[in-house]
Every structure is written in C-alpha cells, then in structure tokens.
Amino acid sequence: MVSGAKQAEAAPGAEDVVAAYGRRFRPMLAALGCTGKAGEITVVPTGGTLAAPVLILAGLGAKATRESLRKAAGNAARSVKNAASVALALPCTTPDEVAAIVEGWSLGGYGFHGYKSSPPPERPATVAVLTPNARSADLLQTLDRTHILLDAVIATRDLVNTPPGDLTPPAFADAVADAHAELSAGQQIPTVTLVVHDETSLSELGCGGILGVGRASAAPPRLVELDYRPAGVDDPPHLAFVGKGITFDSGGLTIKPAGSMKTMKCDMAGAAAVAAATLAIARLELPVRISAYLPMAENMVDGSAYRPGDVLTIYGGQTVEVTNTDAEGRLILADALVRAVEAGPDAIIDVATLTGHMVMALGDRVGGVLGNNEALADQVLAAAEQAGEQMWPLPIPEEMYDRLRRDTVADVIQHDWIRYGGGLFAAAFLENFVDGLPWAHLDIAGPAFHSGGPSGHIVAGGTGFSVPTLVALAETASAWGRVEGTDTSSGSTGAEGANGRPRGRLRQLSPRSFIRRL
C-alpha cells in the first residue's frame, strides 16, 4: 500500500487483490484506517474473498523504494502466523526490487532460538515473490547473489547473538575455521586460505596489543587470517579487511558500569562481519583479492590484567602507552593493521564497534566513515548506498595527531581522556598503523547491535551491519581499480605517517550532497 492524498492506495503488484474485492476494496481501507505510511501493517481476514485466509496490507509510504520494500517485507514476515505458504504481491519489476523484498522477508523474520527450551516458531515452507519477470536471467542471478549475502548477514547475526561464555576467542576462531572448512569442502570455489595464530604464535610474532588485552582472560586470544584469491585473474585489485573481535568487554581495570556490560558480547561484530563478508565474496567468485585479519580477545580482569600506565609493543615495533583499558579495541586492531600492511593491499578497510562517541554523534542506525583517502571513502559511501546501509563521513582533524603524542612515554598514547572528539582520536590512533596506505575506518558501534523493538528487516540483537557494504565494495573494486597513494587535495599535509608519507584527509562532505546518499 502507498499513502495517497486522502487515503491509502494499492501499489503496483496488488491488482489481482483489488480485482477480487472489487468496489469493496477502498471502503475496506477507509474502515480499517489504512494510511499506507511506511511501516504500517494491517491484517485482514479474507472470508473467502481470496484463496488465502489472511491478507496483510503493508505500508510503503509515498512511493515504493528499495528501502520501503525491504521494510514492508520485514514487517510482514513478523505478522504471518501459522501459514504454510505466503505470496508477496509487492512492486517488484526489477531485480533490485525483488532483492529488497527477499532481504526484508528473510532478515525481518530472523530469530535467534538456539538457547530457548521451546522449539522455534515454524516459518512458512513456501514463500513466493510475485513478479512479471520471474524467468529473467538478471533476476535469477540477483537472487543467487542475494541468498549468498543473506547467508553472510545471518551468520554474522548468529555469532553476535551467541552468549560470550560460549563464544570465547578460541571458540570464535573455531567457528570461522568451521565456516571456512564448509566452504572449501566441495573445492568448487577459488582457494581461501586460513591461518589461526594462538597465544604462542602471537607471542612469537610480537603482537603486544592482542596479548596485552587478552592476558587476563582464561580464554586466550587469537588472530585469524583469511586470504581469498580469485582463480584465473592476473593481478586482481587487492583489499585488506580488518575486524575488531572483542568477544566480551568488561572494560578491564577501567571497568564498565554493570549496565554497560549487558550488550558487550556484540564487541566482536566487526570481526564477524569481516569473516562472513570475505567468505561470501569467495562464494560469489568476485575478481578481487581479499586479505582478512580478525584479532580476537576477551577483555577481562584478574591479577595479570594490563594496567593504565603499561606500555605495549605493537607488531612491527611501535610502542603504545595505555591509559584506559576500556579502549582496548584499537590495541588489537593495531597489530592486525600492521599485519594487513605487510600483505601489500591497494587499500585497507577496518570495521569495528570502536567508540561510544560515534553512537553519541550519529545514533544507533548510522555508521561513521573516517580515513586518509577521499577516493576510497567515496567508494565506501557509494557501496553503503548500494547496500542500503546508512554511513556518514567524518574528518580526522590535525589536532588529533598532536594529541596522540602529547604527554606520553611511548611512541603514542592510546587514549587521552579528553571528552570531545573521542571517535576522531581513535581513528587517528589507527591511522598511525597503516603506513600511509589508503585506508578507511568504519565505526559501527551504533548499528551493529539493536536493543529496541523490531523495525523492518532489523530485529533485536546483532544486525549484520557492514556485511552488505563490504560485499558491494568488493563487487565494484574491479571497476575502480587501485587507489593510488593518499589523496591530499582537500586537507592539510603537514603531518606524516610512520613511513614519512604525507597523510591524506577525508573530506567532510556537505550535508546537502550526502543526504542524497541516504
């Protein structure tokens, strides 16, 4: 249903339903108070007017868009009770519209039931999307891609929703290894290699950030590395993905308030998203190489916990003074970022539930994008728009780099307790470890986990946010090619990276130009 000038109107695709009701249809909408606004759901017993016993009217707003279709299908999925089959008569003449409906239905009906004693509610055995282009080759190809993407998003949600006592760093690494083994079993896809570094290997490598954060936990840390190389592609574009994998964050000695720990099982959402996206990219056989790095640790408290005032040596030799053990994510990412640099990628993208400052700035539905290269940032934002995820660009002001080296006995300070710009400071810290390579930082602290009621394809718990964006970015990588150097056309270049290269600046896009992307 779409909202009309006076009352709701049937959207394209519902012609057969309108014909079945005839002249009764519009009075029925008026009597039920249907407005057609986005998110509205009205359940109508058909009384034999249709072959189906129940008609669900889903509001699309002023017009059918990909986002309103996704939302309508997600809301409808939760409204269907005890149905063996469902037919979705929504506007869907293009592959993108069909994909949005399938995404909305699958994700809106998602539930995490593994720990409940009662069996999960039965879902319809058959769900048909009614479209005049059902035999279109483009549509079938889009559906194949959509199902692979949905598998990845759901896998991410499942990992994020798993209780932290069961998803410790070793268990998380095992889960990624199991997914890798399942993917590789048929050997019908290009090779994806897997390496898991345990605490002994991490010590030999000198990954002081991961080891420092994880040393107070009874469950030792891990670093998982995945590498996908497309078959038959000479010198493909090469992206490195890095994901934060804190399986539970107590805050360490800088301990969190009790209420703030409730959802801290979600602090590994970045690593889960990177793992799932990398394996989805392999399943899609995209012509781009992906090197993925998943540092995993549990930030706990005991007599061996790392302390404020400690100095940790990151992989590669840089030293960091710790001042806040609840800013642990940037420490494990530092090790992984240096490892990513060594792979020689064309660009690095890290994904992390990194700072509460980002939630304060952007809310719980929008991710922040920061980095050192305007061209790469634009590609990430374009991929997010294509994927239907909301992201907003933020700058890294010059003063943040000054704060990194102020009043520290080490090369850099991890945190400075200045209330303002904490998310920007954290990004400046991470940039210190990318050696001047084109890099984008996705802070998904808000949208990675949903604590409220369901809306559209978003339900309570892990959301799988950033998986669609990473896949869309990989899909376009072969078209845009390599990102050459750091772009310095839109900001100061006075500060230099660890290797002496000038830092680029991520341009602050004007609200008017970026609103169109949302």
Side-chain angles (χ1 to χ4, degrees):
M1 305 299 299
V2 293
S3 53
K6 295 183 179 180
Q7 71 170 66
E9 302 285 348
E15 291 83 1
D16 290 344
V17 173
V18 175
Y21 278 91
R23 293 183 178 181
R24 293 177 294 153
F25 189 72
R26 289 178 62 84
M28 180 182 71
L29 297 183
L32 293 172
C34 290
T35 66
K37 68 179 182 180
E40 182 182 70
I41 289 290
T42 306
V43 180
V44 183
T46 65
T49 302
L50 301 174
V54 174
L55 171 67
I56 296 175
L57 303 173
L60 295 171
K63 63 178 181 178
T65 64
R66 183 175 177 181
E67 184 55 35
S68 68
L69 287 170
R70 185 187 291 112
K71 185 173 186 178
N75 290 331
R78 292 186 297 276
S79 303
V80 172
K81 310 294 183 184
N82 302 318
S85 62
V86 172
L88 300 175
L90 292 165
C92 52
T93 58
T94 69
D96 281 349
E97 289 173 341
V98 174
I101 294 168
V102 173
E103 290 168 10
W105 178 270
S106 298
L107 298 179
Y110 167 86
F112 186 71
H113 302 287
Y115 288 81
K116 294 185 177 181
S117 57
S118 57
E122 291 188 12
R123 302 296 299 160
T126 303
V127 179
V129 179
L130 306 181
T131 173
N133 302 318
R135 298 184 182 275
S136 162
D138 288 345
L139 175 59
L140 295 176
Q141 184 177 5
T142 298
L143 279 177
D144 288 342
R145 175 203 182 271
T146 301
H147 287 307
I148 290 173
L149 179 63
L150 288 172
D151 287 345
V153 173
I154 289 170
T156 303
R157 289 184 174 188
D158 286 347
L159 286 169
V160 173
N161 289 332
T162 300
D166 289 342
L167 196 76
T168 59
F172 191 6
D174 288 345
V176 176
D178 289 345
H180 171 265
E182 181 179 351
L183 184 69
S184 305
Q187 295 184 347
Q188 296 177 346
I189 61 161
T191 301
V192 181
T193 59
L194 168 76
V195 176
V196 178
H197 297 284
D198 62 13
E199 63 272 31
T200 300
S201 177
L202 289 169
S203 180
E204 292 171 351
L205 288 171
C207 294
I210 300 172
L211 290 167
V213 172
R215 72 190 187 199
S217 172
R222 295 287 186 267
L223 173 61
V224 177
E225 299 179 348
L226 294 164
D227 193 74
Y228 159 66
R229 298 175 186 247
V233 181
D234 294 331
D235 193 27
H238 182 188
L239 301 179
F241 293 161
V242 178
K244 174 186 171 184
I246 296 293
T247 60
F248 183 76
D249 182 17
S250 71
L253 292 177
T254 316
I255 198 162
K256 291 179 181 291
S260 298
M261 291 191 208
K262 180 180 178 181
T263 60
M264 281 301 101
K265 66 180 182 179
C266 81
D267 217 11
M268 38 60 68
V274 164
T278 300
L279 297 179
I281 290 165
R283 288 182 64 189
L284 291 167
E285 301 186 45
L286 299 181
V288 57
R289 180 182 170 191
I290 304 293
S291 297
Y293 300 85
L294 318 175
M296 302 170 177
E298 188 178 44
N299 189 21
M300 299 295 281
V301 180
D302 75 1
S304 66
Y306 77 123
R307 298 164 285 269
D310 281 353
V311 173
L312 303 178
T313 302
I314 300 301
Y315 177 76
Q318 287 196 67
T319 57
V320 177
E321 182 182 4
V322 176
T323 57
N324 178 0
T325 63
D326 194 21
E328 80 299 325
R330 65 197 70 179
L331 295 172
I332 69 169
L333 288 172
D335 284 323
L337 286 169
V338 180
R339 293 284 292 175
V341 167
E342 288 188 341
D346 300 311
I348 300 173
I349 298 91
D350 79 74
V351 185
T353 50
L354 202 63
T355 64
H357 298 85
M358 203 59 58
V359 186
M360 295 295 291
L362 300 178
D364 61 0
R365 295 294 180 92
V366 182
V369 179
L370 304 94
N372 66 1
N373 186 282
E374 183 178 327
L376 177 60
D378 283 346
Q379 291 298 330
V380 171
L381 293 167
E385 179 185 14
Q386 177 184 334
E389 296 190 312
Q390 296 186 82
M391 295 195 188
W392 189 265
L394 293 167
I396 308 178
E398 188 62 41
E399 58 266 25
M400 296 300 165
Y401 303 103
D402 298 332
R403 284 167 56 175
L404 278 177
R405 292 169 175 81
R406 184 185 304 159
D407 300 326
T408 179
V409 299
D411 293 330
V412 291
I413 198 167
Q414 165 231 24
H415 183 269
D416 66 359
W417 290 103
I418 295 176
R419 292 177 57 196
Y420 309 109
L424 314 184
F425 177 92
F429 177 89
L430 294 179
E431 187 184 349
N432 197 62
F433 299 94
V434 301
D435 199 32
L437 289 177
W439 156 78
H441 162 57
L442 280 56
D443 192 331
I444 62 168
F449 195 88
H450 182 60
S451 299
S455 175
H457 68 294
I458 301 298
V459 298
T463 64
F465 188 87
S466 78
V467 172
T469 294
L470 294 177
V471 173
L473 183 66
E475 285 175 322
T476 58
S478 59
W480 55 263
R482 288 173 171 73
V483 180
E484 298 294 344
T486 52
D487 180 88
T488 58
S489 61
S490 59
S492 167
T493 60
E496 293 184 343
N499 64 349
R501 300 177 189 172
R503 289 194 183 92
R505 293 290 178 266
L506 175 55
R507 159 173 75 101
Q508 177 79 52
L509 297 181
S510 70
R512 177 173 295 182
S513 68
F514 192 63
I515 280 173
R516 290 196 296 270
R517 300 185 179 187
L518 294 178

